Amino acid sequence: MSLFRYYPSNPTKLDTELEKKIFIHSLLFPAAFVLLMWIVKLVEVTAGLDFTRYGIFPLHTDGLKGILLGPFIHADFSHLISNSLPFFILGFMLVYFYRRITYQIFFLLYILSGVSTWLIGREAWHIGASGVVYALAAFHFVSGIIRSDVRLLTLSVVVVFLYGGLVWGLLPIRPEISWEGHLSGAIWGVVLAFYYRRYTIRREKFDWEEEEDEEDSPDSDQETDESKSADSTSLHSVP
């Protein structure tokens, strides 16, 4: 897709129209996913149904379908709301920064976190998108560290504060919380962050980074002139 071969943060190839298209496209995928989560919950409530049994039930064949369906099912609206905003922000980041390999990364995080939950989880129905949220958060945070990318780190920290208790969710503290799903997602997020570490996220330097470079190199002005002349990324609840 030609749209994904353009990097809006590359100052030498700035294109305002493509910049807008990338931004809008980056909003569409997470918005559609979150909208589907809300539709599922509204149908469940209005029709008086219970979709819990479409979640993941570890080590049971009947629970395998939850690997695909579980993230769309939530215990209540509080559970749904707590997952919606973090997923939207992290999903936007994935599409905006990783472009052509976005869906490859997302598919792997989605499936691998679900499979791991099915393998290590307690015998209960594991539902909710929090496993995927943990996978995305870990992926972005570790990628930010590996790449020394301030944008990824900053946005990841914002999500941690928005999500609340992100670290505590990895521990078996509350029996109604699927810490196994959280842990599975976080582990795969870290693994894939290292696996895709060579994927380049181009960006222009921030002003403070340029100033630092100038301080480190007293001959920077001369080098710049020379270069010019040379040609110049449930269990939420256990029933």
Side-chain angles (χ1 to χ4, degrees):
M1 190 173 181
S2 61
L3 190 64
F4 286 167
R5 289 197 293 270
Y6 167 74
Y7 289 80
S9 54
N10 186 340
T12 64
K13 298 180 180 179
L14 190 62
D15 186 318
T16 306
E17 288 305 313
L18 276 177
E19 185 100 41
K20 291 178 181 177
K21 289 180 181 179
I22 282 285
F23 186 82
I24 292 172
H25 184 89
S26 300
L27 293 173
L28 292 178
F29 171 68
F33 197 98
V34 170
L35 177 61
L36 189 53
M37 292 195 304
W38 277 85
I39 290 174
V40 168
K41 190 60 189 175
L42 289 172
V43 169
E44 182 182 30
V45 172
T46 55
L49 301 173
D50 184 0
F51 291 156
T52 301
R53 292 186 177 275
Y54 290 96
I56 297 173
F57 200 93
L59 300 179
H60 286 69
T61 54
D62 189 46
L64 283 170
K65 60 182 177 293
I67 294 173
L68 290 176
L69 303 178
F72 295 99
I73 303 165
H74 293 80
D76 50 41
F77 281 104
S78 176
H79 184 204
L80 176 58
I81 292 170
S82 70
N83 282 332
S84 295
L85 184 58
F87 183 94
F88 181 80
I89 296 173
L90 293 167
F92 168 81
M93 290 168 60
L94 187 66
V95 180
Y96 188 82
F97 291 118
Y98 290 89
R99 312 293 166 75
R100 62 181 179 273
I101 61 171
T102 290
Y103 302 107
Q104 179 181 336
I105 295 173
F106 182 79
F107 176 79
L108 288 172
L109 290 174
Y110 191 100
I111 297 299
L112 291 172
S113 61
V115 170
S116 296
T117 302
W118 187 82
L119 290 172
I120 70 172
R122 288 163 286 166
E123 288 198 340
W125 294 103
H126 297 247
I127 58 175
S130 53
V132 182
V133 169
Y134 271 79
L136 289 168
F139 177 81
H140 286 311
F141 188 76
V142 175
S143 291
I145 294 175
I146 292 173
R147 304 169 192 281
S148 298
D149 194 305
V150 178
R151 300 169 306 171
L152 290 176
L153 283 170
T154 301
L155 290 171
S156 298
V157 170
V158 168
V159 170
V160 169
F161 280 106
L162 285 174
Y163 205 57
L166 197 65
V167 175
W168 299 115
L170 298 171
L171 304 174
I173 297 175
R174 297 171 58 187
E176 76 276 14
I177 299 296
S178 177
W179 64 270
E180 302 97 323
H182 298 171
L183 182 61
S184 296
I187 289 174
W188 283 112
V190 172
V191 170
L192 290 185
F194 278 97
Y195 182 79
Y196 287 104
R197 68 188 180 280
R198 291 191 177 134
Y199 181 80
T200 303
I201 300 179
R202 300 178 189 174
R203 69 175 176 85
E204 58 184 310
K205 288 187 175 182
F206 296 106
D207 292 339
W208 61 267
E209 290 178 302
E210 292 176 349
E211 291 173 3
E212 184 178 324
D213 289 343
E214 289 175 3
E215 291 176 1
D216 292 340
S217 177
D219 297 326
S220 58
D221 291 338
Q222 182 180 349
E223 292 172 0
T224 301
D225 293 337
E226 291 175 355
S227 63
K228 285 181 180 178
S229 60
D231 199 355
S232 34
T233 241
S234 204
L235 211 102
H236 166 267
S237 54
V238 181

